[in-house]
Amino acid sequence: MKKYLFYVGIDVSKAKLDINILDSLTLKSEHFIIENNIKSISIFIKKLDRKVDKGCTLFCCENTGVYTNHLSSVLVKLNLDLWIVPAIEIKKSKGISRGKNDKTDAKDISYYSYRNIDKLKLFAFASMDIQKLKILYTEREKMLKALLLLQATKESKAFTDKIIFKEVSQINQTLVKSIKNSIHKIESKIKEVIKANDQLTKQAQLIKSIPGLGEQTSVYLIIATKGFTAFKNWRQFACYSGVAPFEHSSGSSVKGRTRVNHMADKKMKSLLQMCAMTTLKYDPQLKEYYKKKKAEGKNSMLVLNNIRCKLISRVFAVITRETPYINTYKFAS
């Protein structure tokens, strides 16, 4: 593992960056504040040559979504080591603390990277096509939520004056039509991006060869796994998706039920749940498995969660083999 001499913790907000530079030899630190834009970040990185050896420096920040984009683009372009950590992980690593501000947060981040270097996973940009799919899929989700809100207006029809409702309904229908057209355009653009990339096209086809997995699930699987480069195996992805069960026990007195953890990609978990329900209609093997476990007295959600895990393992299997899913169940005697 690379030996770092300096650990730079960066607290990212919309307008500014609080930066703490920690010297691992003396454990002394310096604090700086700069604007969160490419120009300011680039100037600061150039000035760092006077203070640190950038080849032996690890930059670390919390994952704050789009607010980290300027920082990550500058550091990756300069081939500097960047570690982006989930905010909850840094928060839980601090132990008991009272109060907070941006300066202490930056210091906590630099100390986190110093103490947890064994967990290091350097940041790398997803391919351009994956980034396009991610933003398109996000916009589609926003459109769907807006559509649901507007369609809820129909519920007022029976309780509202007809003249008043008619005026509102006309405006509502115009907006609904416009949103539906926008969703259609976004979905067409998503298909174009996948079609233009041979690898993504093949991955989407392989995923959809599995009974129960459709167009939107295949797209989100590609986005979540960064084209199946972000996870080593299906078990890691099952944990990320919140479907991997964990034991809850301690000594002889605490015997909690084995259950999944709430920290997960909720969208992925929801899609997998819908896919699991669909497979009960179209996959005889999993349908029989579900009936068998229910007959044994197993809880419905427990069995469905097992099916979600089976679907994830199938997805990673077809991607690894680069061959479509084959239903061997129909050949069983």
Side-chain angles (χ1 to χ4, degrees):
M1 184 178 288
K2 187 175 180 179
K3 178 69 175 179
Y4 294 103
L5 298 177
F6 300 94
Y7 296 84
V8 180
I10 306 168
D11 183 70
V12 181
S13 60
K14 183 179 180 180
K16 65 184 178 73
L17 303 178
D18 282 80
I19 302 171
N20 185 82
I21 303 175
L22 175 67
D23 186 331
S24 64
L25 299 178
T26 63
L27 293 184
K28 292 182 179 179
S29 60
E30 290 184 80
H31 179 251
F32 304 89
I33 300 176
I34 63 172
E35 294 181 4
N36 189 5
N37 59 60
I38 290 177
K39 184 179 179 180
S40 297
I41 296 169
S42 299
I43 292 171
F44 178 79
I45 297 300
K46 285 181 181 178
K47 290 181 179 179
L48 270 183
D49 286 327
R50 305 170 192 169
K51 297 181 177 293
V52 304
D53 179 0
K54 289 189 288 191
C56 300
T57 300
L58 175 63
F59 296 83
C60 182
C61 68
E62 293 178 339
N63 188 349
T64 54
V66 293
Y67 295 161
T68 62
N69 284 359
H70 292 325
L71 176 66
S72 58
S73 62
V74 171
L75 295 179
V76 170
K77 191 178 291 185
L78 295 173
N79 293 319
L80 298 176
D81 292 350
L82 173 63
W83 186 11
I84 299 181
V85 185
I88 187 69
E89 188 169 332
I90 294 175
K91 182 181 179 180
K92 287 185 175 292
S93 72
K94 289 165 59 175
I96 298 173
S97 61
R98 295 175 176 83
K100 71 186 291 298
N101 58 51
D102 295 338
K103 182 178 179 180
T104 57
D105 284 348
K107 191 172 183 179
D108 288 336
I109 293 169
S110 60
Y111 270 96
Y112 173 87
S113 60
Y114 169 66
R115 292 167 178 158
N116 297 276
I117 193 65
D118 56 306
K119 298 179 180 179
L120 175 63
K121 187 176 182 181
L122 293 177
F123 171 80
F125 272 121
S127 68
M128 188 63 70
D129 285 337
I130 297 292
Q131 292 181 55
K132 287 179 183 177
L133 288 176
K134 185 176 181 179
I135 194 166
L136 285 168
Y137 199 94
T138 302
E139 290 303 307
R140 179 181 177 274
E141 288 296 298
K142 292 177 185 176
M143 294 287 183
L144 288 172
K145 288 179 181 178
L147 188 61
L148 286 172
L149 287 172
L150 288 169
Q151 288 178 334
T153 304
K154 295 178 182 178
E155 297 177 6
S156 305
K157 186 176 182 179
F159 306 95
T160 310
D161 185 275
K162 291 182 179 179
I163 297 173
I164 298 173
F165 183 80
K166 186 178 180 181
E167 293 179 3
V168 174
S169 181
Q170 288 175 349
I171 299 170
N172 184 274
Q173 287 174 7
T174 303
L175 289 170
V176 167
K177 185 177 180 181
S178 176
I179 291 174
K180 284 183 177 179
N181 288 336
S182 297
I183 292 172
H184 179 71
K185 288 178 182 178
I186 290 172
E187 289 176 346
S188 298
K189 188 63 181 176
I190 288 174
K191 289 178 181 178
E192 288 176 18
V193 173
I194 292 176
K195 190 175 180 180
N197 187 309
D198 292 338
Q199 185 179 10
L200 296 184
T201 301
K202 187 174 183 181
Q203 288 179 348
Q205 290 173 345
L206 291 171
I207 295 168
K208 287 186 286 186
S209 70
I210 302 169
L213 274 65
E215 187 76 37
Q216 298 308 320
T217 305
S218 66
V219 172
Y220 197 75
L221 276 163
I222 290 170
I223 294 169
T225 61
K226 295 184 180 180
F228 292 89
T229 61
F231 298 91
K232 293 180 181 179
N233 53 59
W234 73 267
R235 289 179 178 84
Q236 285 187 355
F237 188 70
C239 183
Y240 165 83
S241 304
V243 300
F246 291 93
E247 182 181 358
H248 285 75
S249 64
S250 179
S252 59
S253 58
V254 179
K255 294 292 182 181
R257 292 185 303 165
T258 298
R259 58 185 185 268
V260 297
N261 195 284
H262 72 278
M263 289 189 290
D265 183 334
K266 299 297 194 298
K267 179 61 182 179
M268 189 73 257
K269 190 173 183 177
S270 176
L271 285 171
L272 287 169
Q273 178 67 12
M274 289 187 285
C275 291
M277 297 294 290
T278 305
T279 55
L280 297 181
K281 296 181 180 179
Y282 302 106
D283 190 320
Q285 183 179 7
L286 291 180
K287 184 177 181 180
E288 184 178 325
Y289 171 81
Y290 180 83
K291 289 181 177 179
K292 179 184 176 183
K293 292 299 177 181
K294 283 293 292 177
E296 293 174 2
K298 300 293 185 181
N299 182 276
S300 297
M301 288 305 298
L302 171 66
V303 184
L304 284 172
N305 191 69
N306 291 345
I307 292 175
R308 288 187 291 192
C309 288
K310 288 177 182 292
L311 290 176
I312 292 174
S313 68
R314 287 180 179 182
V315 169
F316 275 74
V318 296
I319 294 296
T320 303
R321 293 198 312 261
E322 296 186 347
T323 56
Y325 174 75
I326 299 173
N327 186 6
T328 55
Y329 182 78
K330 63 183 179 181
F331 302 110
S333 57

Short mmCIF file of all heavy atoms in Angstrom, two decimals, residues 144-156 172 176 180:
data_model
loop_
_atom_site.label_atom_id
_atom_site.label_comp_id
_atom_site.label_asym_id
_atom_site.label_seq_id
_atom_site.Cartn_x
_atom_site.Cartn_y
_atom_site.Cartn_z
N LEU A 144 -41.43 11.35 -13.14
CA LEU A 144 -42.43 10.39 -12.68
C LEU A 144 -43.10 10.86 -11.38
O LEU A 144 -44.30 10.70 -11.19
CB LEU A 144 -41.79 9.01 -12.49
CG LEU A 144 -41.41 8.27 -13.77
CD1 LEU A 144 -40.62 7.00 -13.44
CD2 LEU A 144 -42.66 7.90 -14.58
N LYS A 145 -42.29 11.43 -10.47
CA LYS A 145 -42.84 11.94 -9.22
C LYS A 145 -43.79 13.10 -9.48
O LYS A 145 -44.86 13.20 -8.87
CB LYS A 145 -41.70 12.38 -8.29
CG LYS A 145 -40.91 11.23 -7.69
CD LYS A 145 -39.78 11.74 -6.81
CE LYS A 145 -38.97 10.57 -6.25
NZ LYS A 145 -37.83 11.04 -5.41
N ALA A 146 -43.39 14.00 -10.40
CA ALA A 146 -44.25 15.14 -10.75
C ALA A 146 -45.55 14.66 -11.39
O ALA A 146 -46.63 15.20 -11.12
CB ALA A 146 -43.51 16.09 -11.69
N LEU A 147 -45.44 13.62 -12.21
CA LEU A 147 -46.62 13.07 -12.88
C LEU A 147 -47.62 12.49 -11.88
O LEU A 147 -48.84 12.70 -11.99
CB LEU A 147 -46.19 11.99 -13.87
CG LEU A 147 -47.26 11.42 -14.82
CD1 LEU A 147 -47.83 12.51 -15.69
CD2 LEU A 147 -46.69 10.30 -15.67
N LEU A 148 -47.11 11.79 -10.88
CA LEU A 148 -47.98 11.21 -9.85
C LEU A 148 -48.72 12.29 -9.06
O LEU A 148 -49.89 12.16 -8.73
CB LEU A 148 -47.15 10.34 -8.89
CG LEU A 148 -46.68 8.99 -9.44
CD1 LEU A 148 -45.73 8.33 -8.45
CD2 LEU A 148 -47.87 8.07 -9.70
N LEU A 149 -48.01 13.38 -8.76
CA LEU A 149 -48.62 14.49 -8.03
C LEU A 149 -49.74 15.14 -8.83
O LEU A 149 -50.81 15.46 -8.30
CB LEU A 149 -47.55 15.53 -7.67
CG LEU A 149 -46.55 15.15 -6.57
CD1 LEU A 149 -45.46 16.20 -6.46
CD2 LEU A 149 -47.26 15.01 -5.23
N LEU A 150 -49.49 15.34 -10.12
CA LEU A 150 -50.49 15.98 -10.97
C LEU A 150 -51.71 15.08 -11.20
O LEU A 150 -52.85 15.56 -11.24
CB LEU A 150 -49.87 16.38 -12.31
CG LEU A 150 -48.89 17.56 -12.26
CD1 LEU A 150 -48.13 17.68 -13.57
CD2 LEU A 150 -49.63 18.86 -11.96
N GLN A 151 -51.46 13.79 -11.35
CA GLN A 151 -52.56 12.86 -11.59
C GLN A 151 -53.45 12.70 -10.35
O GLN A 151 -54.60 12.26 -10.46
CB GLN A 151 -52.01 11.51 -12.04
CG GLN A 151 -51.45 11.53 -13.46
CD GLN A 151 -50.85 10.21 -13.88
OE1 GLN A 151 -50.41 9.42 -13.05
NE2 GLN A 151 -50.82 9.95 -15.18
N ALA A 152 -52.93 13.06 -9.18
CA ALA A 152 -53.72 12.98 -7.95
C ALA A 152 -54.86 14.00 -7.94
O ALA A 152 -55.79 13.89 -7.12
CB ALA A 152 -52.82 13.21 -6.74
N THR A 153 -54.81 14.97 -8.86
CA THR A 153 -55.88 15.98 -8.94
C THR A 153 -57.22 15.35 -9.26
O THR A 153 -58.28 15.88 -8.88
CB THR A 153 -55.52 17.04 -10.02
OG1 THR A 153 -54.24 17.59 -9.71
CG2 THR A 153 -56.55 18.16 -10.06
N LYS A 154 -57.22 14.23 -9.94
CA LYS A 154 -58.46 13.54 -10.32
C LYS A 154 -59.31 13.18 -9.09
O LYS A 154 -60.53 13.08 -9.17
CB LYS A 154 -58.14 12.27 -11.11
CG LYS A 154 -57.49 12.53 -12.47
CD LYS A 154 -57.16 11.23 -13.15
CE LYS A 154 -56.47 11.46 -14.51
NZ LYS A 154 -56.11 10.19 -15.16
N GLU A 155 -58.65 12.96 -7.96
CA GLU A 155 -59.36 12.59 -6.74
C GLU A 155 -60.30 13.70 -6.25
O GLU A 155 -61.24 13.45 -5.51
CB GLU A 155 -58.35 12.23 -5.64
CG GLU A 155 -57.49 11.02 -5.96
CD GLU A 155 -56.45 10.75 -4.89
OE1 GLU A 155 -56.51 11.45 -3.85
OE2 GLU A 155 -55.61 9.86 -5.09
N SER A 156 -60.02 14.95 -6.67
CA SER A 156 -60.83 16.09 -6.23
C SER A 156 -62.11 16.25 -7.04
O SER A 156 -62.98 17.06 -6.66
CB SER A 156 -60.00 17.38 -6.32
OG SER A 156 -58.80 17.27 -5.62
N ASN A 172 -54.20 21.06 -15.79
CA ASN A 172 -53.58 19.83 -15.31
C ASN A 172 -53.27 18.87 -16.46
O ASN A 172 -52.17 18.30 -16.54
CB ASN A 172 -54.51 19.16 -14.29
CG ASN A 172 -53.91 17.93 -13.67
OD1 ASN A 172 -54.04 16.84 -14.23
ND2 ASN A 172 -53.27 18.08 -12.52
N VAL A 176 -49.71 17.31 -17.63
CA VAL A 176 -49.53 15.85 -17.65
C VAL A 176 -49.04 15.40 -19.02
O VAL A 176 -48.11 14.59 -19.14
CB VAL A 176 -50.85 15.13 -17.29
CG1 VAL A 176 -50.75 13.64 -17.61
CG2 VAL A 176 -51.17 15.32 -15.81
N LYS A 180 -45.44 13.62 -19.79
CA LYS A 180 -45.38 12.30 -20.43
C LYS A 180 -44.51 12.34 -21.68
O LYS A 180 -43.74 11.40 -21.95
CB LYS A 180 -46.80 11.84 -20.79
CG LYS A 180 -47.60 11.33 -19.61
CD LYS A 180 -48.97 10.81 -20.03
CE LYS A 180 -49.73 10.23 -18.85
NZ LYS A 180 -51.08 9.74 -19.25
#
